[in-house]
Coordinates of all heavy atoms in Angstrom, one line a residue:
M1 N 31.1 249.4 -54.9 CA 30.5 248.3 -55.6 C 31.4 247.1 -55.6 O 32.6 247.3 -55.8 CB 30.0 248.8 -57.0 CG 29.1 247.7 -57.6 SD 28.5 248.4 -59.3 CE 28.4 246.7 -60.1
A2 N 30.8 246.0 -55.4 CA 31.6 244.8 -55.4 C 32.2 244.4 -56.8 O 31.5 244.9 -57.8 CB 30.8 243.6 -54.9
K3 N 33.3 244.0 -56.8 CA 33.9 243.6 -58.2 C 34.1 242.1 -58.2 O 34.8 241.5 -57.1 CB 35.2 244.4 -58.3 CG 34.9 245.6 -59.3 CD 36.2 246.3 -59.7 CE 36.2 246.9 -61.0 NZ 37.4 247.4 -61.5
L4 N 34.1 241.5 -59.2 CA 34.4 240.1 -59.3 C 35.7 240.2 -60.3 O 36.0 240.9 -61.0 CB 33.4 239.4 -60.1 CG 32.1 239.0 -59.4 CD1 31.1 238.2 -60.3 CD2 32.4 238.3 -58.2
H5 N 36.6 239.0 -59.9 CA 37.7 238.8 -60.9 C 37.3 238.0 -62.1 O 38.2 237.9 -62.9 CB 38.8 238.1 -59.9 CG 38.2 236.6 -59.5 ND1 37.2 236.6 -58.7 CD2 38.6 235.5 -59.8 CE1 36.9 235.3 -58.4 NE2 37.8 234.6 -59.2
I6 N 36.1 237.7 -62.2 CA 35.7 236.8 -63.3 C 34.6 237.7 -64.0 O 33.8 238.4 -63.5 CB 34.8 235.6 -62.7 CG1 35.8 234.7 -62.0 CG2 34.4 234.9 -64.1 CD1 37.0 234.1 -62.7
K7 N 34.6 237.8 -65.4 CA 33.7 238.6 -66.0 C 33.0 237.7 -67.1 O 33.6 236.6 -67.6 CB 34.1 239.8 -66.5 CG 35.3 239.6 -67.6 CD 35.7 241.2 -67.9 CE 36.7 241.1 -69.1 NZ 37.8 240.4 -69.0
K8 N 31.8 238.1 -67.7 CA 31.3 237.6 -68.9 C 32.3 237.2 -69.9 O 32.9 238.1 -70.4 CB 30.2 238.3 -69.4 CG 29.2 237.6 -70.2 CD 28.2 238.5 -70.7 CE 27.4 237.9 -71.8 NZ 26.2 238.7 -72.3
G9 N 32.2 236.0 -70.5 CA 33.1 235.6 -71.7 C 34.4 235.0 -71.2 O 35.1 234.4 -72.0
D10 N 34.7 235.0 -69.9 CA 35.9 234.4 -69.4 C 35.8 232.9 -69.5 O 34.8 232.3 -69.3 CB 36.2 234.8 -67.9 CG 36.8 236.1 -67.7 OD1 37.1 236.7 -68.8 OD2 36.7 236.6 -66.6
T11 N 36.9 232.1 -69.6 CA 36.9 230.7 -69.6 C 37.4 230.4 -68.1 O 38.6 230.9 -67.8 CB 37.9 230.1 -70.5 OG1 37.3 230.5 -71.9 CG2 37.9 228.6 -70.4
V12 N 36.6 229.5 -67.4 CA 37.0 229.3 -66.0 C 37.0 227.8 -65.8 O 36.6 227.0 -66.5 CB 36.1 229.9 -65.1 CG1 36.1 231.5 -65.1 CG2 34.7 229.5 -65.3
V13 N 37.7 227.4 -64.7 CA 37.7 226.1 -64.3 C 37.1 225.9 -62.9 O 37.3 226.9 -62.0 CB 39.2 225.6 -64.1 CG1 39.2 224.2 -63.5 CG2 40.0 225.7 -65.5
I14 N 36.2 225.0 -62.7 CA 35.4 224.8 -61.5 C 36.4 224.3 -60.5 O 37.1 223.2 -60.7 CB 34.2 223.9 -61.6 CG1 33.4 224.4 -62.8 CG2 33.4 224.0 -60.3 CD1 32.9 226.0 -62.9
L15 N 36.5 224.7 -59.2 CA 37.6 224.3 -58.3 C 36.9 223.3 -57.3 O 37.7 222.7 -56.6 CB 38.0 225.6 -57.4 CG 38.7 226.6 -58.2 CD1 39.1 227.9 -57.4 CD2 40.0 226.0 -58.8
S16 N 35.7 223.3 -57.0 CA 35.1 222.4 -56.1 C 33.7 222.0 -56.4 O 33.1 222.6 -57.4 CB 35.0 223.1 -54.7 OG 34.2 224.1 -54.8
G17 N 33.2 221.0 -55.7 CA 31.8 220.5 -56.0 C 31.9 219.4 -57.1 O 32.8 218.9 -57.5
D18 N 30.6 219.1 -57.5 CA 30.5 218.0 -58.5 C 31.1 218.2 -59.8 O 31.4 217.4 -60.6 CB 28.9 217.8 -58.7 CG 28.2 217.3 -57.5 OD1 28.9 216.8 -56.7 OD2 27.0 217.4 -57.4
D19 N 31.2 219.5 -60.1 CA 31.7 219.9 -61.4 C 33.2 220.2 -61.4 O 33.7 220.9 -62.3 CB 31.0 221.0 -62.0 CG 29.5 220.8 -62.3 OD1 29.3 219.8 -63.1 OD2 28.6 221.3 -61.8
K20 N 33.8 219.9 -60.4 CA 35.3 220.2 -60.2 C 36.2 219.8 -61.3 O 36.0 218.6 -61.9 CB 35.9 219.2 -58.9 CG 37.2 219.8 -58.5 CD 37.7 219.1 -57.2 CE 39.1 219.5 -56.9 NZ 39.6 218.7 -55.8
G21 N 37.0 220.7 -61.8 CA 37.8 220.4 -63.0 C 37.3 220.7 -64.3 O 37.9 220.7 -65.3
V22 N 35.9 221.1 -64.4 CA 35.3 221.3 -65.5 C 35.5 222.6 -66.0 O 35.5 223.6 -65.1 CB 33.7 221.2 -65.4 CG1 33.0 221.5 -66.7 CG2 33.2 219.7 -65.1
R23 N 35.9 222.8 -67.3 CA 36.1 224.1 -67.9 C 34.9 224.6 -68.6 O 34.3 223.8 -69.3 CB 37.3 223.8 -69.0 CG 38.1 225.3 -68.9 CD 39.0 225.2 -70.2 NE 39.7 224.0 -70.3 CZ 40.5 223.6 -71.4 NH1 40.3 224.3 -72.5 NH2 41.1 222.4 -71.5
G24 N 34.6 225.9 -68.5 CA 33.6 226.4 -69.3 C 33.5 228.0 -69.3 O 34.4 228.6 -68.7
E25 N 32.7 228.4 -70.2 CA 32.6 229.9 -70.5 C 31.6 230.6 -69.4 O 30.5 230.1 -69.3 CB 32.2 230.1 -71.9 CG 32.3 231.5 -72.3 CD 31.6 231.8 -73.6 OE1 31.5 230.8 -74.6 OE2 31.1 232.9 -73.9
V26 N 32.0 231.7 -68.9 CA 31.2 232.4 -68.0 C 30.1 233.1 -69.0 O 30.3 233.8 -69.9 CB 31.9 233.4 -67.3 CG1 30.9 234.3 -66.6 CG2 32.9 232.8 -66.4
I27 N 28.8 232.7 -68.8 CA 27.7 233.4 -69.6 C 27.1 234.5 -68.9 O 26.4 235.3 -69.4 CB 26.8 232.3 -70.0 CG1 26.2 231.5 -68.9 CG2 27.2 231.5 -71.0 CD1 25.0 230.6 -69.2
A28 N 27.3 234.7 -67.6 CA 26.7 235.9 -66.8 C 27.5 235.9 -65.5 O 27.9 235.0 -64.9 CB 25.3 235.6 -66.6
A29 N 27.8 237.2 -65.2 CA 28.4 237.4 -63.8 C 27.7 238.4 -63.0 O 27.1 239.3 -63.5 CB 29.9 238.0 -64.0
S30 N 27.4 238.2 -61.8 CA 26.7 239.0 -60.9 C 27.5 239.5 -59.8 O 27.6 238.7 -58.6 CB 25.5 238.3 -60.5 OG 24.8 239.1 -59.4
P31 N 28.2 240.5 -59.8 CA 29.1 241.1 -58.9 C 28.4 241.3 -57.5 O 29.0 241.1 -56.5 CB 29.7 242.4 -59.4 CG 29.4 242.3 -60.9 CD 28.1 241.5 -61.1
D32 N 27.2 241.8 -57.5 CA 26.4 242.0 -56.4 C 26.2 240.7 -55.4 O 26.4 240.8 -54.2 CB 25.1 242.7 -56.6 CG 25.3 244.1 -57.3 OD1 26.3 244.7 -56.9 OD2 24.2 244.6 -57.8
E33 N 26.0 239.7 -56.2 CA 25.9 238.4 -55.5 C 27.1 237.6 -55.4 O 27.2 236.7 -54.5 CB 24.9 237.6 -56.3 CG 23.4 238.0 -56.1 CD 22.5 237.2 -57.0 OE1 22.3 237.4 -58.2 OE2 22.0 236.3 -56.5
G34 N 28.1 238.0 -56.1 CA 29.3 237.4 -56.0 C 29.2 236.0 -56.7 O 30.0 235.0 -56.4
K35 N 28.4 235.9 -57.7 CA 28.1 234.6 -58.4 C 28.3 234.7 -59.9 O 28.1 235.8 -60.5 CB 26.6 234.2 -58.0 CG 26.5 233.6 -56.6 CD 25.1 233.2 -56.2 CE 25.0 232.6 -54.9 NZ 23.6 232.2 -54.7
V36 N 28.4 233.6 -60.4 CA 28.6 233.5 -61.9 C 27.8 232.4 -62.4 O 27.4 231.4 -61.7 CB 30.1 233.4 -62.4 CG1 30.8 234.6 -61.9 CG2 30.6 232.1 -61.7
L37 N 27.4 232.4 -63.8 CA 26.9 231.4 -64.5 C 27.9 230.8 -65.4 O 28.5 231.6 -66.2 CB 25.6 231.8 -65.1 CG 24.3 232.2 -64.4 CD1 23.2 232.6 -65.4 CD2 23.9 231.2 -63.4
V38 N 28.1 229.5 -65.4 CA 29.2 228.9 -66.4 C 28.4 228.0 -67.2 O 27.7 227.1 -66.7 CB 30.3 228.2 -65.6 CG1 31.4 227.7 -66.5 CG2 30.9 229.2 -64.5
K39 N 28.6 228.1 -68.5 CA 27.9 227.2 -69.5 C 28.0 225.8 -69.2 O 29.1 225.3 -69.2 CB 28.6 227.7 -70.8 CG 27.6 227.3 -72.1 CD 28.3 227.8 -73.4 CE 27.4 227.6 -74.5 NZ 27.8 228.2 -75.7
G40 N 27.1 225.2 -69.1 CA 27.0 223.8 -68.9 C 27.3 223.2 -67.5 O 27.4 222.0 -67.2
V41 N 27.5 224.1 -66.6 CA 27.9 223.7 -65.3 C 26.8 224.1 -64.3 O 26.1 225.0 -64.3 CB 29.2 224.5 -64.9 CG1 29.6 224.4 -63.3 CG2 30.3 224.1 -65.6
H42 N 26.7 223.0 -63.3 CA 25.7 223.2 -62.3 C 24.2 223.4 -62.8 O 23.6 224.3 -62.6 CB 26.1 224.3 -61.3 CG 25.2 224.4 -60.0 ND1 25.0 223.3 -59.2 CD2 24.4 225.4 -59.6 CE1 24.2 223.5 -58.3 NE2 23.9 224.9 -58.3
M43 N 23.9 222.5 -63.7 CA 22.7 222.6 -64.3 C 21.5 222.2 -63.3 O 21.6 221.3 -62.6 CB 22.4 221.5 -65.5 CG 23.6 221.7 -66.6 SD 23.5 223.3 -67.3 CE 22.0 223.2 -68.3
I44 N 20.5 223.1 -63.3 CA 19.5 222.8 -62.4 C 18.1 222.8 -63.2 O 18.0 223.4 -64.2 CB 19.3 223.9 -61.3 CG1 19.3 225.3 -62.0 CG2 20.4 223.9 -60.3 CD1 18.9 226.3 -60.9
K45 N 17.1 222.1 -62.6 CA 15.8 222.1 -63.4 C 15.0 223.3 -62.8 O 14.8 223.5 -61.7 CB 15.2 220.8 -63.2 CG 15.9 219.5 -63.7 CD 15.2 218.2 -63.6 CE 15.6 217.2 -64.5 NZ 17.1 216.8 -64.3
K46 N 14.5 223.9 -64.0 CA 13.6 224.9 -63.6 C 12.2 224.7 -64.1 O 12.1 224.2 -65.2 CB 14.1 226.3 -64.2 CG 15.3 226.9 -63.6 CD 15.7 228.3 -64.1 CE 16.7 229.1 -63.4 NZ 17.1 230.2 -64.1
H47 N 11.3 225.0 -63.3 CA 9.9 224.8 -63.7 C 9.4 226.1 -64.4 O 9.5 227.3 -64.0 CB 8.9 224.6 -62.5 CG 9.3 223.2 -61.8 ND1 8.6 222.1 -62.2 CD2 10.2 223.0 -60.9 CE1 9.1 221.2 -61.4 NE2 10.2 221.7 -60.6
M48 N 8.9 225.9 -65.7 CA 8.5 227.0 -66.3 C 7.1 227.1 -66.5 O 6.4 226.1 -66.8 CB 9.0 226.8 -67.9 CG 10.7 226.9 -67.9 SD 11.3 228.4 -67.5 CE 11.1 229.4 -68.9
K49 N 6.4 228.3 -66.2 CA 5.0 228.3 -66.5 C 4.8 228.7 -68.0 O 5.7 229.3 -68.6 CB 4.6 229.6 -65.7 CG 4.5 229.3 -64.2 CD 3.9 230.3 -63.5 CE 3.9 230.2 -61.9 NZ 3.6 231.4 -61.2
P50 N 3.6 228.2 -68.4 CA 3.3 228.5 -69.9 C 3.2 229.9 -70.0 O 2.6 230.7 -69.2 CB 2.1 227.8 -70.2 CG 1.5 227.3 -68.8 CD 2.6 227.4 -67.8
R51 N 3.9 230.5 -71.1 CA 3.9 232.0 -71.2 C 2.6 232.3 -72.2 O 2.3 233.5 -71.9 CB 5.2 232.4 -71.9 CG 6.2 233.1 -70.9 CD 7.5 233.2 -71.6 NE 8.3 232.0 -71.4 CZ 9.4 231.9 -72.1 NH1 9.8 232.8 -72.9 NH2 10.2 230.9 -71.9
R52 N 2.2 231.5 -72.9 CA 1.1 231.9 -73.7 C 0.1 230.9 -73.6 O 0.3 229.7 -73.1 CB 1.5 231.8 -75.3 CG 1.9 233.2 -75.7 CD 2.6 233.1 -77.0 NE 3.8 232.5 -76.9 CZ 4.4 231.9 -77.9 NH1 3.9 231.9 -79.2 NH2 5.6 231.2 -77.8
Q53 N -1.2 231.2 -73.7 CA -2.2 230.3 -73.6 C -2.1 229.1 -74.6 O -1.6 229.3 -75.8 CB -3.6 231.0 -73.9 CG -4.7 230.4 -73.0 CD -6.0 231.1 -73.2 OE1 -6.1 232.1 -73.9 NE2 -6.9 230.8 -72.5
G54 N -2.2 227.8 -74.1 CA -2.2 226.7 -74.9 C -0.8 226.2 -75.1 O -0.5 225.1 -75.5
E55 N 0.1 226.9 -74.3 CA 1.5 226.4 -74.5 C 1.8 225.6 -73.1 O 1.2 226.1 -72.0 CB 2.5 227.7 -74.3 CG 4.0 227.2 -74.7 CD 4.8 228.6 -74.7 OE1 4.8 229.2 -73.5 OE2 5.4 228.9 -75.6
A56 N 2.5 224.5 -73.3 CA 2.7 223.7 -72.1 C 3.8 224.2 -71.4 O 4.8 224.7 -71.8 CB 3.0 222.3 -72.6
G57 N 3.5 224.3 -70.1 CA 4.7 224.6 -69.1 C 5.5 223.3 -69.0 O 5.1 222.2 -69.5
G58 N 6.6 223.4 -68.4 CA 7.4 222.3 -68.3 C 8.6 222.5 -67.4 O 8.8 223.7 -66.8
I59 N 9.6 221.6 -67.6 CA 10.8 221.6 -66.9 C 11.9 221.8 -67.8 O 12.0 221.0 -68.8 CB 11.0 220.3 -66.0 CG1 9.9 220.3 -64.9 CG2 12.4 220.5 -65.3 CD1 9.8 218.9 -64.2
V60 N 12.8 222.8 -67.6 CA 13.8 223.0 -68.5 C 15.1 223.1 -67.5 O 15.1 223.4 -66.4 CB 13.7 224.4 -69.2 CG1 12.7 224.4 -70.2 CG2 13.7 225.5 -68.3
E61 N 16.1 222.7 -68.2 CA 17.4 222.7 -67.5 C 18.2 224.0 -67.9 O 18.3 224.4 -69.0 CB 18.3 221.6 -67.8 CG 17.9 220.2 -67.2 CD 19.1 219.3 -67.1 OE1 19.1 218.5 -68.0 OE2 19.9 219.3 -66.1
A62 N 18.7 224.7 -66.8 CA 19.4 225.8 -67.0 C 20.5 225.9 -66.0 O 20.6 225.3 -65.0 CB 18.5 227.0 -66.8
E63 N 21.5 226.7 -66.4 CA 22.7 226.8 -65.6 C 22.3 227.4 -64.3 O 21.6 228.4 -64.1 CB 23.8 227.7 -66.2 CG 24.7 227.0 -67.2 CD 23.9 227.1 -68.6 OE1 22.7 227.6 -68.8 OE2 24.5 226.5 -69.6
G64 N 22.8 227.0 -63.1 CA 22.5 227.6 -61.8 C 23.7 228.5 -61.4 O 24.9 228.2 -61.9
A65 N 23.5 229.5 -60.6 CA 24.6 230.4 -60.2 C 25.5 229.7 -59.3 O 25.1 228.9 -58.4 CB 24.0 231.7 -59.6
I66 N 26.8 229.9 -59.4 CA 27.7 229.3 -58.5 C 28.7 230.5 -58.0 O 28.8 231.5 -58.6 CB 28.6 228.2 -59.0 CG1 29.3 228.7 -60.4 CG2 27.8 226.9 -59.3 CD1 30.3 227.7 -61.0
Y67 N 29.1 230.3 -56.7 CA 30.0 231.3 -56.2 C 31.3 231.6 -57.0 O 32.0 230.6 -57.4 CB 30.4 231.1 -54.8 CG 29.2 231.4 -53.9 CD1 28.3 230.4 -53.3 CD2 28.9 232.6 -53.6 CE1 27.4 230.6 -52.5 CE2 27.6 233.0 -52.7 CZ 27.1 231.9 -52.2 OH 26.0 232.2 -51.4
A68 N 31.5 232.8 -57.3 CA 32.8 233.1 -58.1 C 34.1 232.7 -57.4 O 34.9 232.3 -58.1 CB 32.8 234.6 -58.3
S69 N 34.1 232.5 -56.1 CA 35.2 232.0 -55.3 C 35.4 230.5 -55.6 O 36.4 229.9 -55.3 CB 34.9 232.3 -53.9 OG 33.8 231.4 -53.4
K70 N 34.4 229.8 -56.2 CA 34.6 228.4 -56.6 C 35.2 228.3 -57.9 O 35.2 227.1 -58.4 CB 33.3 227.7 -56.5 CG 32.8 227.4 -55.1 CD 31.7 226.4 -55.0 CE 31.3 226.0 -53.7 NZ 30.3 225.0 -53.7
V71 N 35.4 229.3 -58.7 CA 35.9 229.2 -60.2 C 37.3 229.9 -60.1 O 37.5 230.8 -59.3 CB 35.1 229.6 -61.1 CG1 33.7 228.9 -61.1 CG2 34.8 231.1 -61.1
A72 N 38.2 229.4 -61.1 CA 39.5 230.1 -61.3 C 39.6 230.4 -62.8 O 39.0 229.6 -63.6 CB 40.5 229.2 -60.7
L73 N 40.1 231.5 -63.2 CA 40.3 231.8 -64.5 C 41.1 230.8 -65.1 O 42.2 230.3 -64.5 CB 40.9 233.2 -64.6 CG 40.5 233.8 -65.9 CD1 39.1 234.2 -66.1 CD2 41.4 235.3 -65.9
Y74 N 40.8 230.3 -66.3 CA 41.7 229.3 -67.0 C 42.8 230.0 -67.8 O 42.6 231.0 -68.5 CB 40.9 228.5 -68.0 CG 41.6 227.6 -68.8 CD1 41.9 226.4 -68.3 CD2 42.0 227.8 -70.2 CE1 42.7 225.4 -68.8 CE2 42.6 226.8 -70.9 CZ 43.0 225.6 -70.3 OH 43.7 224.7 -70.9
C75 N 44.0 229.5 -67.6 CA 45.3 230.0 -68.2 C 45.6 229.1 -69.3 O 46.0 227.9 -69.0 CB 46.4 230.2 -67.3 SG 47.9 230.7 -68.2
P76 N 45.4 229.4 -70.7 CA 45.9 228.4 -71.7 C 47.3 228.0 -71.7 O 47.7 226.8 -72.1 CB 45.6 229.2 -72.8 CG 44.7 230.4 -72.5 CD 45.1 230.7 -71.2
K77 N 48.2 228.8 -71.2 CA 49.6 228.6 -71.2 C 49.9 227.5 -70.0 O 50.7 226.6 -70.2 CB 50.3 229.8 -70.9 CG 51.7 230.0 -71.4 CD 52.4 231.3 -71.5 CE 53.8 231.2 -71.8 NZ 54.4 232.6 -71.5
C78 N 49.2 227.8 -68.9 CA 49.5 226.8 -67.8 C 48.5 225.6 -68.0 O 48.9 224.5 -67.3 CB 49.2 227.5 -66.4 SG 50.2 228.8 -65.9
G79 N 47.6 225.7 -68.7 CA 46.8 224.6 -68.9 C 45.8 224.2 -67.8 O 45.3 223.1 -67.5
K80 N 45.5 225.2 -66.8 CA 44.7 225.0 -65.7 C 44.1 226.3 -65.2 O 44.4 227.4 -65.6 CB 45.4 224.2 -64.5 CG 46.7 225.0 -64.2 CD 47.4 224.1 -63.1 CE 48.5 224.9 -62.5 NZ 49.2 224.1 -61.5
G81 N 43.3 226.2 -64.2 CA 42.8 227.4 -63.5 C 43.9 227.9 -62.7 O 44.6 227.3 -61.9
V82 N 44.0 229.3 -62.7 CA 45.1 229.9 -62.0 C 44.5 231.1 -61.2 O 43.5 231.6 -61.4 CB 46.2 230.4 -62.9 CG1 46.9 229.1 -63.5 CG2 45.6 231.4 -64.0
R83 N 45.3 231.6 -60.3 CA 45.2 232.8 -59.7 C 45.6 234.0 -60.5 O 46.6 233.7 -61.3 CB 45.9 233.0 -58.3 CG 45.2 232.1 -57.1 CD 46.3 231.9 -56.1 NE 46.7 233.2 -55.6 CZ 46.1 233.8 -54.5 NH1 45.2 233.3 -54.0 NH2 46.7 234.9 -54.1
T84 N 44.9 235.1 -60.5 CA 45.3 236.2 -61.3 C 45.7 237.5 -60.4 O 45.4 237.5 -59.4 CB 44.2 236.6 -62.2 OG1 43.0 237.1 -61.5 CG2 43.7 235.6 -63.2
K85 N 46.5 238.3 -61.1 CA 46.8 239.5 -60.5 C 46.8 240.6 -61.5 O 46.7 240.3 -62.8 CB 48.1 239.4 -59.8 CG 49.3 239.1 -60.8 CD 50.6 238.9 -60.1 CE 51.8 238.7 -61.0 NZ 53.1 238.6 -60.3
T86 N 46.7 241.8 -61.1 CA 46.6 242.9 -62.0 C 48.0 243.6 -62.3 O 48.7 243.8 -61.4 CB 45.7 244.0 -61.3 OG1 44.4 243.4 -60.9 CG2 45.3 245.1 -62.4
K87 N 48.2 243.8 -63.5 CA 49.3 244.4 -63.8 C 49.1 245.7 -64.5 O 48.3 245.9 -65.3 CB 50.2 243.4 -64.9 CG 51.6 243.9 -65.2 CD 52.1 242.8 -66.2 CE 53.3 243.3 -67.0 NZ 53.7 242.4 -68.1
V88 N 49.9 246.8 -64.2 CA 49.7 248.1 -64.8 C 50.8 248.3 -65.8 O 52.0 248.2 -65.6 CB 49.9 249.1 -63.7 CG1 49.6 250.5 -64.3 CG2 48.9 249.0 -62.5
L89 N 50.3 248.5 -67.0 CA 51.2 248.7 -68.2 C 51.7 250.1 -68.1 O 51.3 250.9 -67.5 CB 50.4 248.5 -69.4 CG 49.8 247.0 -69.7 CD1 49.0 247.0 -71.0 CD2 50.8 246.1 -69.7
D90 N 52.8 250.3 -69.0 CA 53.5 251.6 -69.1 C 52.5 252.7 -69.4 O 52.7 253.8 -69.0 CB 54.5 251.6 -70.1 CG 55.7 250.6 -69.7 OD1 55.8 250.3 -68.5 OD2 56.4 250.2 -70.6
N91 N 51.5 252.3 -70.2 CA 50.5 253.4 -70.5 C 49.4 253.6 -69.5 O 48.4 254.3 -69.8 CB 49.9 253.1 -71.9 CG 49.1 251.7 -71.9 OD1 48.8 251.2 -70.9 ND2 48.8 251.2 -73.1
G92 N 49.6 253.0 -68.3 CA 48.6 253.1 -67.3 C 47.3 252.1 -67.3 O 46.6 252.1 -66.4
K93 N 47.4 251.4 -68.4 CA 46.2 250.6 -68.5 C 46.4 249.4 -67.7 O 47.6 248.8 -67.6 CB 46.1 250.1 -70.0 CG 44.9 249.5 -70.4 CD 45.0 249.0 -71.9 CE 43.9 248.0 -72.2 NZ 44.2 247.0 -73.3
K94 N 45.5 248.8 -67.2 CA 45.5 247.6 -66.2 C 45.1 246.3 -67.0 O 44.1 246.4 -67.6 CB 44.6 247.8 -65.0 CG 45.2 248.8 -63.9 CD 44.2 248.9 -62.9 CE 44.7 250.1 -61.7 NZ 43.7 250.3 -60.9
V95 N 45.9 245.4 -66.8 CA 45.5 244.0 -67.4 C 45.5 242.9 -66.4 O 46.2 243.0 -65.4 CB 46.4 243.7 -68.5 CG1 46.4 244.7 -69.8 CG2 48.0 243.6 -68.1
R96 N 44.8 242.0 -66.6 CA 44.8 240.8 -65.8 C 45.9 239.8 -66.3 O 45.9 239.4 -67.4 CB 43.5 240.0 -65.9 CG 42.6 240.3 -64.7 CD 41.3 239.5 -64.9 NE 41.0 239.0 -66.1 CZ 39.9 238.4 -66.5 NH1 39.0 238.2 -65.7 NH2 39.7 238.0 -67.7
V97 N 46.8 239.4 -65.4 CA 47.6 238.4 -65.8 C 47.7 237.1 -64.8 O 47.2 237.3 -63.8 CB 49.1 238.9 -65.7 CG1 49.2 240.0 -66.9 CG2 49.6 239.4 -64.4
C98 N 48.2 236.1 -65.5 CA 48.2 234.9 -64.7 C 49.3 235.0 -63.6 O 50.4 235.4 -63.9 CB 48.7 233.7 -65.6 SG 49.1 232.3 -64.8
A99 N 49.0 234.8 -62.3 CA 49.9 234.9 -61.3 C 51.0 234.0 -61.3 O 52.2 234.2 -60.8 CB 49.2 234.7 -59.9
K100 N 50.9 232.9 -62.1 CA 52.1 231.9 -62.2 C 53.1 232.2 -63.3 O 54.3 232.2 -63.2 CB 51.4 230.5 -62.5 CG 52.2 229.5 -62.0 CD 51.6 228.1 -61.9 CE 52.4 227.1 -61.3 NZ 51.9 225.7 -61.4
C101 N 52.4 232.4 -64.6 CA 53.3 232.5 -65.7 C 53.3 233.9 -66.4 O 54.1 234.2 -67.2 CB 52.9 231.5 -66.8 SG 51.4 232.0 -67.7
G102 N 52.5 234.7 -65.9 CA 52.4 236.1 -66.3 C 51.7 236.5 -67.6 O 51.8 237.5 -68.1
A103 N 51.1 235.5 -68.2 CA 50.4 235.6 -69.4 C 49.2 236.5 -69.2 O 48.6 236.4 -68.2 CB 50.0 234.3 -70.0
E104 N 48.9 237.4 -70.2 CA 47.8 238.1 -70.2 C 46.6 237.4 -70.4 O 46.4 236.6 -71.2 CB 47.8 239.2 -71.2 CG 47.6 240.7 -70.7 CD 47.8 241.7 -71.8 OE1 48.9 242.1 -72.0 OE2 46.7 242.0 -72.5
L105 N 45.6 237.4 -69.5 CA 44.3 236.7 -69.7 C 43.2 237.6 -69.8 O 43.2 238.8 -69.6 CB 44.1 236.1 -68.2 CG 45.2 235.0 -67.9 CD1 44.9 234.5 -66.5 CD2 45.1 233.8 -68.9
Ligands
ZN1 ZN1 49.6 230.8 -66.6

């Protein structure tokens, strides 16, 4: 099964496109598609059908999926999006660390 380096709840920085440089929280990750949803990023208009009778349909704005390769995990210590690597602790537990400063992310 495909795995993403990004997971729900992560803070990421957008690397390319209109939202380049924007920081946001990952609200959903789809490893199968290799895509993520980042709060407030790549807003797209969605047409909603009325769910109940008498309710007006309309257009709502929602986050659109972006490729996980277009985002980098944010490192508070470096103050920017960074590459990550996996570090194995003495107890065998694996943690994600910043490839630059080594901070646990
Ligand atoms: Zn760092």
Side-chain angles (χ1 to χ4, degrees):
M1 191 180 148
K3 258 192 153 181
L4 284 181
H5 60 296
I6 302 291
K7 62 182 193 304
K8 191 179 169 185
D10 283 345
T11 300
V12 295
V13 177
I14 312 304
L15 298 175
S16 62
D18 293 341
D19 295 304
K20 187 177 177 180
V22 174
R23 209 197 309 170
E25 185 194 335
V26 175
I27 51 175
S30 173
D32 289 339
E33 292 179 272
K35 289 179 176 179
V36 293
L37 293 182
V38 182
K39 200 172 186 176
V41 171
H42 191 50
M43 300 301 287
I44 53 168
K45 287 183 169 62
K46 282 185 176 175
H47 295 266
M48 301 290 285
K49 282 180 186 167
R51 257 169 272 170
R52 270 167 290 163
Q53 212 174 3
E55 195 183 60
I59 297 167
V60 294
E61 274 200 276
E63 283 86 358
I66 52 175
Y67 282 105
S69 59
K70 282 192 171 185
V71 304
L73 205 62
Y74 178 76
C75 173
K77 212 170 163 185
C78 295
K80 60 179 185 175
V82 294
R83 284 162 58 90
T84 60
K85 57 183 182 180
T86 305
K87 185 178 160 190
V88 183
L89 300 177
D90 293 339
N91 61 11
K93 201 183 153 203
K94 286 178 184 173
V95 293
R96 258 184 341 188
V97 297
C98 169
K100 204 168 182 192
C101 71
E104 228 177 275
L105 296 171

